[in-house]
Short mmCIF file of all heavy atoms in Angstrom, two decimals:
data_model
loop_
_atom_site.label_atom_id
_atom_site.label_comp_id
_atom_site.label_asym_id
_atom_site.label_seq_id
_atom_site.Cartn_x
_atom_site.Cartn_y
_atom_site.Cartn_z
N ILE N 802 -16.52 27.63 12.86
CA ILE N 802 -15.45 26.71 12.44
C ILE N 802 -14.89 27.25 11.18
O ILE N 802 -15.49 27.59 10.26
CB ILE N 802 -16.17 25.32 12.08
CG1 ILE N 802 -16.87 24.72 13.33
CG2 ILE N 802 -15.05 24.30 11.58
CD1 ILE N 802 -17.41 23.42 13.18
N ASN N 803 -13.49 27.32 11.20
CA ASN N 803 -12.87 28.05 10.07
C ASN N 803 -11.60 27.29 9.84
O ASN N 803 -10.80 27.88 9.04
CB ASN N 803 -12.54 29.49 10.38
CG ASN N 803 -11.93 29.56 11.77
OD1 ASN N 803 -11.42 28.59 12.40
ND2 ASN N 803 -11.98 30.75 12.33
N ASN N 804 -11.39 26.15 10.39
CA ASN N 804 -10.16 25.49 10.14
C ASN N 804 -10.38 24.09 9.48
O ASN N 804 -10.04 22.94 9.90
CB ASN N 804 -9.35 25.22 11.45
CG ASN N 804 -10.29 24.81 12.53
OD1 ASN N 804 -11.48 25.08 12.49
ND2 ASN N 804 -9.84 23.99 13.39
N TRP N 805 -10.95 24.18 8.33
CA TRP N 805 -11.28 22.98 7.42
C TRP N 805 -9.98 22.21 7.04
O TRP N 805 -9.07 22.93 6.61
CB TRP N 805 -12.09 23.37 6.22
CG TRP N 805 -13.35 24.19 6.60
CD1 TRP N 805 -13.63 25.42 6.20
CD2 TRP N 805 -14.48 23.65 7.25
NE1 TRP N 805 -14.90 25.82 6.73
CE2 TRP N 805 -15.41 24.81 7.31
CE3 TRP N 805 -14.86 22.39 7.83
CZ2 TRP N 805 -16.56 24.64 7.97
CZ3 TRP N 805 -16.16 22.30 8.41
CH2 TRP N 805 -16.95 23.36 8.50
N THR N 806 -10.09 21.06 7.08
CA THR N 806 -9.07 20.17 6.40
C THR N 806 -9.76 19.72 5.00
O THR N 806 -10.88 20.04 4.78
CB THR N 806 -8.55 19.02 7.18
OG1 THR N 806 -9.81 18.32 7.72
CG2 THR N 806 -7.89 19.51 8.55
N SER N 807 -8.89 18.99 4.29
CA SER N 807 -9.33 18.85 2.83
C SER N 807 -10.34 17.76 2.53
O SER N 807 -10.69 17.62 1.40
CB SER N 807 -8.06 18.59 2.00
OG SER N 807 -7.31 17.64 2.39
N GLU N 808 -10.66 16.95 3.37
CA GLU N 808 -11.44 15.75 3.09
C GLU N 808 -12.76 16.24 3.06
O GLU N 808 -13.47 16.72 3.97
CB GLU N 808 -11.25 14.62 4.29
CG GLU N 808 -11.63 13.33 3.77
CD GLU N 808 -11.63 12.29 4.82
OE1 GLU N 808 -10.87 12.43 5.85
OE2 GLU N 808 -12.38 11.31 4.71
N ILE N 809 -13.56 15.88 1.97
CA ILE N 809 -14.94 16.10 1.73
C ILE N 809 -15.78 14.93 1.25
O ILE N 809 -15.15 14.09 0.49
CB ILE N 809 -15.27 17.40 0.88
CG1 ILE N 809 -14.84 17.10 -0.52
CG2 ILE N 809 -14.60 18.57 1.47
CD1 ILE N 809 -15.35 18.25 -1.42
N GLN N 810 -16.91 14.77 1.70
CA GLN N 810 -17.74 13.77 1.19
C GLN N 810 -19.14 14.23 0.94
O GLN N 810 -19.89 14.53 1.88
CB GLN N 810 -17.88 12.54 2.28
CG GLN N 810 -18.95 11.51 2.11
CD GLN N 810 -18.60 10.61 0.85
OE1 GLN N 810 -18.76 11.10 -0.30
NE2 GLN N 810 -18.30 9.32 1.15
N MET N 811 -19.51 14.44 -0.26
CA MET N 811 -20.99 14.80 -0.70
C MET N 811 -21.71 13.50 -0.72
O MET N 811 -21.28 12.51 -1.17
CB MET N 811 -20.86 15.53 -1.98
CG MET N 811 -22.21 16.18 -2.41
SD MET N 811 -23.41 15.10 -2.98
CE MET N 811 -22.66 14.49 -4.53
N PHE N 812 -22.98 13.69 -0.31
CA PHE N 812 -23.89 12.43 -0.39
C PHE N 812 -25.26 12.85 -0.62
O PHE N 812 -25.67 13.92 -0.32
CB PHE N 812 -23.60 11.57 0.86
CG PHE N 812 -24.06 12.42 2.19
CD1 PHE N 812 -25.48 12.47 2.51
CD2 PHE N 812 -23.20 13.11 2.88
CE1 PHE N 812 -25.94 13.22 3.61
CE2 PHE N 812 -23.53 13.84 3.96
CZ PHE N 812 -24.84 13.82 4.37
N THR N 813 -25.92 11.84 -1.08
CA THR N 813 -27.54 12.01 -1.14
C THR N 813 -28.11 10.82 -0.38
O THR N 813 -27.60 9.70 -0.58
CB THR N 813 -28.00 11.98 -2.59
OG1 THR N 813 -27.47 13.20 -3.21
CG2 THR N 813 -29.53 11.94 -2.58
N SER N 814 -29.01 11.09 0.42
CA SER N 814 -29.70 10.03 1.11
C SER N 814 -31.19 10.14 0.92
O SER N 814 -31.70 11.26 0.99
CB SER N 814 -29.41 10.05 2.67
OG SER N 814 -29.93 8.99 3.36
N VAL N 815 -31.87 9.08 0.68
CA VAL N 815 -33.33 9.01 0.33
C VAL N 815 -34.03 8.12 1.21
O VAL N 815 -33.60 7.07 1.37
CB VAL N 815 -33.66 8.79 -1.10
CG1 VAL N 815 -35.14 9.02 -1.27
CG2 VAL N 815 -32.71 9.67 -2.08
N ARG N 816 -35.10 8.46 1.87
CA ARG N 816 -35.94 7.55 2.58
C ARG N 816 -37.40 7.78 2.18
O ARG N 816 -37.88 8.86 2.03
CB ARG N 816 -35.79 7.82 4.11
CG ARG N 816 -34.57 7.21 4.61
CD ARG N 816 -34.60 7.06 6.15
NE ARG N 816 -33.27 6.52 6.49
CZ ARG N 816 -32.93 6.40 7.69
NH1 ARG N 816 -33.65 6.62 8.70
NH2 ARG N 816 -31.67 5.80 7.96
N VAL N 817 -38.05 6.71 1.99
CA VAL N 817 -39.57 6.77 1.70
C VAL N 817 -40.13 5.85 2.85
O VAL N 817 -39.72 4.84 3.16
CB VAL N 817 -39.88 6.10 0.36
CG1 VAL N 817 -41.37 6.09 0.30
CG2 VAL N 817 -39.25 6.96 -0.62
N SER N 818 -41.06 6.54 3.58
CA SER N 818 -41.63 5.82 4.62
C SER N 818 -43.19 5.71 4.54
O SER N 818 -43.73 6.51 3.97
CB SER N 818 -41.37 6.70 5.96
OG SER N 818 -41.24 5.88 7.06
N ARG N 819 -43.66 4.63 4.90
CA ARG N 819 -45.14 4.29 4.75
C ARG N 819 -45.90 4.49 6.11
O ARG N 819 -45.26 3.89 7.06
CB ARG N 819 -45.39 2.88 4.22
CG ARG N 819 -46.88 2.63 4.00
CD ARG N 819 -47.15 1.38 3.22
NE ARG N 819 -46.59 1.28 1.85
CZ ARG N 819 -47.13 1.80 0.78
NH1 ARG N 819 -48.48 2.46 0.97
NH2 ARG N 819 -46.67 1.69 -0.50
N LEU N 820 -46.75 5.38 6.08
CA LEU N 820 -47.56 5.63 7.26
C LEU N 820 -48.51 4.57 7.43
O LEU N 820 -49.24 4.14 6.50
CB LEU N 820 -48.18 6.89 7.18
CG LEU N 820 -47.37 8.16 6.99
CD1 LEU N 820 -48.12 9.35 6.47
CD2 LEU N 820 -46.73 8.58 8.32
N SER N 821 -48.77 4.07 8.60
CA SER N 821 -49.81 3.09 8.90
C SER N 821 -51.10 3.94 8.95
O SER N 821 -51.26 4.97 9.60
CB SER N 821 -49.65 2.37 10.23
OG SER N 821 -49.29 3.21 11.19
N ASN N 822 -52.06 3.56 8.18
CA ASN N 822 -53.17 4.53 7.86
C ASN N 822 -54.20 4.44 8.97
O ASN N 822 -55.25 5.02 8.86
CB ASN N 822 -53.87 4.02 6.60
CG ASN N 822 -54.51 5.28 6.04
OD1 ASN N 822 -54.26 6.38 6.39
ND2 ASN N 822 -55.36 5.07 5.01
N ILE N 823 -54.01 3.70 10.07
CA ILE N 823 -54.99 3.63 11.12
C ILE N 823 -55.03 4.90 12.01
O ILE N 823 -53.92 5.17 12.59
CB ILE N 823 -54.79 2.34 11.98
CG1 ILE N 823 -54.11 1.28 11.05
CG2 ILE N 823 -56.09 1.92 12.65
CD1 ILE N 823 -53.19 0.45 11.72
N ASN N 824 -56.10 5.42 12.17
CA ASN N 824 -56.21 6.45 13.08
C ASN N 824 -55.12 7.68 13.00
O ASN N 824 -54.49 7.98 13.97
CB ASN N 824 -56.28 6.10 14.54
CG ASN N 824 -57.48 5.18 14.79
OD1 ASN N 824 -58.61 5.43 14.25
ND2 ASN N 824 -57.33 4.22 15.76
N LEU N 825 -54.98 8.03 11.83
CA LEU N 825 -53.96 9.09 11.68
C LEU N 825 -54.44 10.36 12.09
O LEU N 825 -55.44 10.77 11.79
CB LEU N 825 -53.63 9.08 10.07
CG LEU N 825 -52.20 9.25 9.73
CD1 LEU N 825 -51.33 8.39 10.37
CD2 LEU N 825 -52.14 9.32 8.22
N THR N 826 -53.68 10.90 13.19
CA THR N 826 -54.02 12.26 13.64
C THR N 826 -52.87 13.16 13.37
O THR N 826 -51.80 12.65 12.98
CB THR N 826 -54.29 12.24 15.08
OG1 THR N 826 -53.09 11.82 15.85
CG2 THR N 826 -55.42 11.16 15.47
N ASN N 827 -53.08 14.41 13.56
CA ASN N 827 -52.09 15.30 13.35
C ASN N 827 -50.90 14.97 14.21
O ASN N 827 -49.71 15.09 13.80
CB ASN N 827 -52.46 16.71 13.62
CG ASN N 827 -53.34 17.31 12.44
OD1 ASN N 827 -53.05 16.91 11.29
ND2 ASN N 827 -54.25 18.26 12.63
N GLN N 828 -51.24 14.58 15.53
CA GLN N 828 -50.20 14.33 16.37
C GLN N 828 -49.22 13.15 16.08
O GLN N 828 -47.98 13.25 15.99
CB GLN N 828 -50.73 14.08 17.89
CG GLN N 828 -50.93 15.29 18.73
CD GLN N 828 -52.21 15.94 18.26
OE1 GLN N 828 -53.21 15.23 17.84
NE2 GLN N 828 -52.31 17.23 18.37
N THR N 829 -49.90 12.13 15.62
CA THR N 829 -49.17 10.91 15.27
C THR N 829 -48.38 11.14 14.01
O THR N 829 -47.19 10.78 13.86
CB THR N 829 -50.01 9.67 14.96
OG1 THR N 829 -51.06 10.02 14.12
CG2 THR N 829 -50.62 9.15 16.27
N LEU N 830 -48.94 11.87 13.13
CA LEU N 830 -48.26 12.39 11.93
C LEU N 830 -47.07 13.17 12.17
O LEU N 830 -46.00 12.80 11.66
CB LEU N 830 -49.31 13.15 11.02
CG LEU N 830 -49.12 13.04 9.53
CD1 LEU N 830 -49.15 11.74 8.95
CD2 LEU N 830 -50.26 13.90 8.85
N ASN N 831 -47.28 14.12 13.07
CA ASN N 831 -46.14 14.98 13.41
C ASN N 831 -44.98 14.13 13.95
O ASN N 831 -43.81 14.37 13.67
CB ASN N 831 -46.64 15.96 14.48
CG ASN N 831 -47.19 17.21 13.79
OD1 ASN N 831 -46.91 17.51 12.68
ND2 ASN N 831 -47.96 17.91 14.61
N LYS N 832 -45.45 13.20 14.90
CA LYS N 832 -44.49 12.37 15.62
C LYS N 832 -43.69 11.50 14.40
O LYS N 832 -42.43 11.45 14.51
CB LYS N 832 -44.95 11.55 16.64
CG LYS N 832 -43.91 10.87 17.47
CD LYS N 832 -44.57 10.07 18.53
CE LYS N 832 -43.45 9.37 19.34
NZ LYS N 832 -42.51 8.50 18.48
N ASN N 833 -44.46 10.98 13.55
CA ASN N 833 -43.80 10.12 12.62
C ASN N 833 -42.78 10.95 11.79
O ASN N 833 -41.70 10.49 11.40
CB ASN N 833 -44.91 9.69 11.62
CG ASN N 833 -45.56 8.31 12.23
OD1 ASN N 833 -44.93 7.73 13.01
ND2 ASN N 833 -46.81 8.18 11.83
N PHE N 834 -43.33 12.06 11.36
CA PHE N 834 -42.43 12.91 10.46
C PHE N 834 -41.09 13.35 11.21
O PHE N 834 -40.11 13.38 10.71
CB PHE N 834 -43.28 14.13 10.08
CG PHE N 834 -42.54 15.07 9.12
CD1 PHE N 834 -41.77 14.53 8.03
CD2 PHE N 834 -42.69 16.46 9.14
CE1 PHE N 834 -41.17 15.39 7.26
CE2 PHE N 834 -42.15 17.29 8.31
CZ PHE N 834 -41.26 16.76 7.25
N ASN N 835 -41.35 13.70 12.52
CA ASN N 835 -40.26 14.07 13.34
C ASN N 835 -39.17 13.05 13.43
O ASN N 835 -37.99 13.17 13.31
CB ASN N 835 -40.68 14.60 14.63
CG ASN N 835 -40.04 15.82 15.29
OD1 ASN N 835 -39.48 16.62 14.46
ND2 ASN N 835 -39.89 15.74 16.52
N ASP N 836 -39.83 11.76 13.80
CA ASP N 836 -38.95 10.61 13.86
C ASP N 836 -38.11 10.34 12.65
O ASP N 836 -37.06 10.08 12.62
CB ASP N 836 -39.73 9.40 14.31
CG ASP N 836 -40.16 9.50 15.79
OD1 ASP N 836 -39.71 10.45 16.42
OD2 ASP N 836 -40.99 8.74 16.16
N LEU N 837 -38.79 10.41 11.51
CA LEU N 837 -38.26 10.28 10.22
C LEU N 837 -37.04 11.03 9.91
O LEU N 837 -35.98 10.53 9.56
CB LEU N 837 -39.37 10.34 9.12
CG LEU N 837 -39.02 10.01 7.60
CD1 LEU N 837 -38.57 8.56 7.55
CD2 LEU N 837 -40.13 10.32 6.71
N CYS N 838 -37.16 12.38 10.20
CA CYS N 838 -36.22 13.28 10.09
C CYS N 838 -35.04 13.11 11.06
O CYS N 838 -33.84 13.09 10.69
CB CYS N 838 -36.57 14.70 10.22
SG CYS N 838 -37.76 15.29 8.92
N GLU N 839 -35.37 12.90 12.31
CA GLU N 839 -34.41 12.76 13.39
C GLU N 839 -33.57 11.47 13.07
O GLU N 839 -32.30 11.44 13.22
CB GLU N 839 -34.97 12.66 14.76
CG GLU N 839 -35.40 13.99 15.30
CD GLU N 839 -34.20 14.89 15.64
OE1 GLU N 839 -33.26 14.39 16.19
OE2 GLU N 839 -34.12 16.04 15.23
N ASN N 840 -34.40 10.26 12.66
CA ASN N 840 -33.63 9.10 12.40
C ASN N 840 -32.69 9.18 11.23
O ASN N 840 -31.52 8.54 11.24
CB ASN N 840 -34.58 7.99 12.21
CG ASN N 840 -35.20 7.56 13.53
OD1 ASN N 840 -34.64 7.84 14.55
ND2 ASN N 840 -36.38 7.05 13.51
N LEU N 841 -33.04 9.86 10.23
CA LEU N 841 -32.26 10.09 9.14
C LEU N 841 -30.91 10.87 9.48
O LEU N 841 -29.93 10.43 9.07
CB LEU N 841 -33.04 10.88 8.05
CG LEU N 841 -32.35 11.19 6.69
CD1 LEU N 841 -31.88 9.89 6.17
CD2 LEU N 841 -33.45 11.58 5.66
N LEU N 842 -31.04 11.86 10.30
CA LEU N 842 -29.91 12.56 10.77
C LEU N 842 -28.96 11.80 11.38
O LEU N 842 -27.91 11.68 11.32
CB LEU N 842 -30.27 13.85 11.52
CG LEU N 842 -30.74 15.14 10.81
CD1 LEU N 842 -31.40 16.10 11.69
CD2 LEU N 842 -29.63 15.71 9.96
N LYS N 843 -29.59 10.92 12.35
CA LYS N 843 -28.87 10.06 13.25
C LYS N 843 -27.98 9.09 12.33
O LYS N 843 -26.89 8.74 12.55
CB LYS N 843 -29.88 9.14 14.13
CG LYS N 843 -30.06 9.88 15.44
CD LYS N 843 -30.89 8.93 16.32
CE LYS N 843 -31.73 9.83 17.30
NZ LYS N 843 -32.88 9.11 17.67
N SER N 844 -28.62 8.50 11.26
CA SER N 844 -27.96 7.62 10.36
C SER N 844 -26.93 8.30 9.66
O SER N 844 -25.82 7.68 9.50
CB SER N 844 -28.92 7.07 9.31
OG SER N 844 -29.60 5.88 9.71
#
Side-chain angles (χ1 to χ4, degrees):
Chain N
I802 299 180
N803 49 18
N804 44 329
W805 304 110
T806 48
S807 58
E808 200 184 334
I809 67 169
Q810 166 72 289
M811 187 282 295
F812 60 85
T813 291
S814 184
V815 185
R816 278 196 185 178
V817 176
S818 213
R819 186 173 290 279
L820 299 160
S821 47
N822 205 16
I823 328 143
N824 294 331
L825 217 50
T826 62
N827 280 335
Q828 273 78 33
T829 53
L830 206 55
N831 274 338
K832 187 176 179 314
N833 280 333
F834 184 39
N835 216 32
D836 289 350
L837 186 59
C838 294
E839 283 291 313
N840 288 336
L841 185 45
L842 281 170
K843 275 184 208 156
S844 269

